Structure formats: structure tokens, C-alpha cells
Amino acid sequence: MPIRPSLNSFLTNFVKESENLACHPPHALELVDVNHLQRQILNTEKAQRMAEFFSLLGD
């Protein structure tokens, strides 16, 4: 079944507009802030144990 012309037109315009989006320049990062956040990120093993724990609670 073909797409209705109005929907087809909408999708075509949407794709064209999304291709023309401009990105803003990147924000300056403070390395101190990044290092602080990296220390707070859970390691994979701990995250997996927490996921299993909460899965058991859900059961």
C-alpha cells in the first residue's frame, strides 16, 4: 500500500530539515570536573551486581 501523498511530503520535508541542522560549537570542559565524574562512575562488575540485585527484588 503506497504512502499517502501528504505523509510522504511531510516525511520528505522532515528528512531534508534534519539534514540541514547545524551543530553548536562544543562547550569548554574543565578537566577537574571530568576527572571528578569519572571517579564516580560505577565499574561494570558493580553495575552488574546491582542490576541482578534489583532484578531479584522485582521478582
Side-chain angles (χ1 to χ4, degrees):
M1 182 173 169
I3 297 177
R4 294 184 311 210
S6 60
L7 180 59
N8 189 26
S9 175
F10 170 77
L11 291 174
T12 302
N13 289 335
F14 180 77
V15 169
K16 286 180 183 177
E17 288 175 11
S18 66
E19 289 173 349
N20 293 327
L21 293 176
C23 294
H24 297 287
H27 297 282
L29 295 174
E30 295 293 330
L31 291 179
V32 174
D33 294 335
V34 172
N35 291 334
H36 175 71
L37 291 173
Q38 283 180 332
R39 288 192 299 271
Q40 293 181 1
I41 295 174
L42 293 176
N43 65 31
T44 305
E45 180 183 335
K46 187 172 184 177
Q48 182 64 39
R49 284 188 283 140
M50 289 178 66
E52 291 170 2
F53 174 77
F54 285 110
S55 176
L56 288 173
L57 284 178
D59 291 342

